[in-house]
Amino acid sequence: MHEKLFTPGPTEVRSELLKELSTAQIHHRTEKFSEIYDDIQGNLKKLLFTENPVFLFSSSSTGAMEAAVTNGVKKRCLNFVNGAFSDRWHQITKKNGVACDKVEIPWDQAVKPELVEEKLKTGRYDAITVVLNETSTGLMNPVKEIGEVVKKFDDVLFLVDAVSGMAGTEIRVDDWGIDMCLAGVQKAFALPAGLTVASVSDDLLKRAEEVESKSYYFNLPLLYKYHQRSQTRTTPAIPQIFALQKQLDDIVNLEGIENRFARHQEMAEYVQNWALEYFDIYAEEGYWSNTVTCIENNRGIDVNNLINSLVEKYNIRIANGYGDLKNKAFRIGHMGDLSLADIKGLLATIESILEL
Ligand SMILES: *Cc1c(COP(=O)(O)O)cnc(C)c1O
């Protein structure tokens, strides 16, 4: 029996999707490949409510984060940091020699639109990075409201890491004015790791032409040339693409996008209510994530013991707190293709282990 994953990525993958990985390989310069590519495009645009092209990166999400800042910044980037992944984006920006500053916000608090407005009014920046769903803290930033602010500043690009949110919570790329919205498929898409999708706006492509990114692999204008032929520029992760095609078809045509979001909402509320009954929730109220809950260990339980018991006795895995939050919190992923029944079963098991 395999270990069932309730971790906030990678997530549990259905066996039907795993089977797709063993589809006989096709060549990526064929019509057959382009048909699959177009089918995926159509469904990704529906999922993200966008007319923008959605690129496929055969890399983990971190690669696409790097593409965003190396292509999208001409003047100076402002990285909003309120968790481990937003901090990583700042590190990526710096490491690539892109001019940037960071705004540090306590990890249990959201990036507020007023703060974004205040910073952008300085006129120093032409791009900002925000993480939609901080997987390290279970906090969802108000990306829609931040987008309203960014729209007031014509030359500012809005770069969003939506890794653990996309396909689990509503993201309206065009309405919210997101120039790049990226996500690896091993989180709420519930697919095997190895592929990242990212919508790319005209403004970002225009900026990328001006910036002339030195990156060969993550060069957006070059990737766009192949996108226009319904191909990827280099050999893509073809097995993952088969699985993505099936999963998107299931999301759009079988479950339905709205139903998928509603199921996530339902699972999230169940976990949140449970967490409030027995523990506490780390993130400030009003910004709790629809896909992962970071539960504050205010009872002083031994988190490692809990994780080990779940693995050894029940073949279930949850996650410890991230970084400094290790043992001070634990995280439950309620995303992907898990059901409310799965969540209820998990929480009942935790109750029995902890004798709550
Ligand atoms: C998992 C995650 C990442 C990093 O993803 P990789 O696919 O491991 O590169 C980045 N941002 C967020 C919000 C994540 O949850």
Side-chain angles (χ1 to χ4, degrees), residues 99-119:
C100 61
D101 296 316
K102 71 169 162 177
V103 185
E104 282 189 282
I105 296 144
W107 281 26
D108 59 347
Q109 286 167 38
V111 177
K112 305 282 162 54
E114 302 77 42
L115 178 67
V116 176
E117 178 144 23
E118 181 193 315
K119 297 291 175 185

Side-chain angles (χ1 to χ4, degrees), residues 8-9 59-63 65 85-86 88 131-136 161-164 182 184-187 193 196:
S59 77
S60 82
S61 330
T62 305
M65 292 164 83
F85 291 104
S86 41
R88 179 185 294 184
V131 170
L132 168 78
N133 191 63
E134 253 303 348
T135 318
S136 59
D161 165 348
V163 179
S164 55
L182 65 97
V185 299
Q186 78 275 24
K187 308 239 166 135
T196 295

Side-chain angles (χ1 to χ4, degrees), residues 62-266:
T62 305
M65 292 164 83
E66 190 154 314
V69 292
T70 51
N71 286 267
V73 185
K74 200 170 161 193
K75 197 159 72 179
R76 200 172 186 86
C77 184
L78 188 60
N79 307 117
F80 286 89
V81 175
N82 63 338
F85 291 104
S86 41
D87 186 55
R88 179 185 294 184
W89 220 352
H90 179 62
Q91 302 306 327
I92 292 170
T93 314
K94 268 200 315 197
K95 197 97 184 141
N96 279 285
V98 175
C100 61
D101 296 316
K102 71 169 162 177
V103 185
E104 282 189 282
I105 296 144
W107 281 26
D108 59 347
Q109 286 167 38
V111 177
K112 305 282 162 54
E114 302 77 42
L115 178 67
V116 176
E117 178 144 23
E118 181 193 315
K119 297 291 175 185
L120 289 183
K121 272 185 178 159
T122 62
R124 282 167 62 83
Y125 306 102
D126 64 357
I128 66 166
T129 66
V130 174
V131 170
L132 168 78
N133 191 63
E134 253 303 348
T135 318
S136 59
T137 58
L139 185 147
M140 210 147 68
N141 284 306
V143 164
K144 178 183 181 212
E145 288 75 13
I146 295 169
E148 295 302 324
V149 169
V150 179
K151 280 181 201 165
K152 297 186 201 166
F153 300 88
D154 266 354
D155 62 336
V156 178
L157 295 183
F158 188 21
L159 310 172
V160 175
D161 165 348
V163 179
S164 55
M166 191 187 291
T169 193
E170 185 179 72
I171 306 169
R172 291 186 169 262
V173 164
D174 292 356
D175 289 353
W176 300 359
I178 303 173
D179 290 289
M180 183 151 168
C181 188
L182 65 97
V185 299
Q186 78 275 24
K187 308 239 166 135
F189 279 98
L191 287 166
L195 199 65
T196 295
V197 305
S199 70
V200 175
S201 73
D202 287 347
D203 287 348
L204 173 54
L205 282 172
K206 216 182 300 159
R207 175 76 55 81
E209 296 276 1
E210 294 165 10
V211 170
E212 288 188 52
S213 162
K214 289 186 192 68
S215 173
Y216 184 85
Y217 196 62
F218 293 116
N219 191 294
L220 295 182
L222 289 177
L223 293 175
Y224 185 54
K225 272 192 197 150
Y226 284 83
H227 168 83
Q228 288 170 304
R229 300 174 203 163
S230 301
Q231 288 183 8
T232 54
R233 186 160 67 112
T234 53
T235 318
I238 294 168
Q240 272 81 354
I241 287 179
F242 288 133
L244 176 63
Q245 184 188 25
K246 162 127 181 80
Q247 178 65 322
L248 282 168
D249 189 41
D250 287 353
I251 291 172
V252 173
N253 300 314
L254 202 66
E255 181 172 26
I257 294 171
E258 296 307 325
N259 292 339
R260 188 176 181 84
F261 296 158
R263 176 170 54 80
H264 278 81
Q265 180 81 41
E266 202 178 25

Side-chain angles (χ1 to χ4, degrees), residues 266-319:
E266 202 178 25
M267 292 192 292
E269 281 169 13
Y270 195 88
V271 175
Q272 289 157 6
N273 288 333
W274 183 89
L276 291 176
E277 185 174 346
Y278 295 110
F279 293 91
D280 208 350
I281 295 177
Y282 178 76
E284 71 172 308
E285 205 175 342
Y287 301 94
W288 295 340
S289 163
N290 282 348
T291 56
V292 51
T293 300
C294 180
I295 300 170
E296 211 171 284
N297 179 18
N298 59 353
R299 299 173 86 98
I301 64 159
D302 186 327
V303 174
N304 268 328
N305 263 354
L306 171 64
I307 291 172
N308 290 337
S309 301
L310 283 168
V311 168
E312 284 158 20
K313 298 195 196 121
Y314 302 94
N315 278 302
I316 291 174
R317 183 173 289 278
I318 62 168

